Amino acid sequence: MLELIQETAAYLKGRMHTQPETAIILGTGLGSLATEITEKYEIKYEEIPNFPVSTVEGHSGKLIFGKLGNKDIMAMQGRFHYYEGYSMKEVTFPVRVMRELGIKTLFVSNASGGTNPDFEIGDLMIITDGPRFPDMSEAYDKELIRKANAIAAEKGIKVQHGVYIGTQGPTFETPSEYKLFHILGADAVGMSTVPEVIVANHCGIKVFGISVITDLGVEGKIVEVTHEEVQKAADAAQPKMTEIMRELINRA
Ligand code: HPA
């Protein structure tokens, strides 16, 4: 495993002409952040040795390097989900490579279903906790959360805070499952993020995560969820999400 990581990192170092310490996984709600990257250069996943290979033709994704504001960054456009058939090792491999490349801070986003009755569709939720494993006493960095709160307040963007629970997917939840997750302490549920956050913590990378609530798993408010509706709600929240992330990455 270590050899594979080092081989991949060595390949990338040979093609990189910046040394970013900041990485972004461009999950749902952050797609448009990619268009704001300047001095951009890209490396397709399929060119990178040992990188997971996409099962969907033409959707392999790429690493984008460049500047966001004044910061050198590396962004993953296209993430790997367990429900697509990748192993957990494959899902988290890019994060281990990030560490080898010198990444210190990772920014992630996702879409999730809110189980907290105070949430509304379109809300942004700063992820405050979730997984516990290896040391997960501070899985989501408190200083970054404090800065994000300050940015949201300055810009008049409403944010929620809460626990994100990650499932294997690909199904949305039954009403009983949403209820169970809320009883267990989750404020939102989704199908990504947790594996990468665990690995990032394991290898000493600080993490900030933000989730867009795209549907509600709250008793009395549960309606049929479709991928299209999730996408629509995420697209609508995208400008707010992008604004917080852009600003936070600059101040981090
Ligand atoms: N459940 C799981 N994953 C999700 C949901 C949900 O309700 N909404 C968006 N991703």
Side-chain angles (χ1 to χ4, degrees), residues 12-32:
L12 289 172
K13 279 180 194 164
R15 293 194 54 185
M16 286 162 66
H17 34 270
T18 48
Q19 263 105 45
E21 295 190 352
T22 302
I24 311 161
I25 299 179
L26 296 166
T28 307
L30 273 188
S32 68

Side-chain angles (χ1 to χ4, degrees), residues 111-113 167 171-173 178 189-191 214-215 225 230:
S112 65
T167 66
T171 54
F172 296 114
E173 285 63 38
Y178 282 123
V189 51
M191 307 175 201
T214 54
D215 52 279
V225 192
V230 165

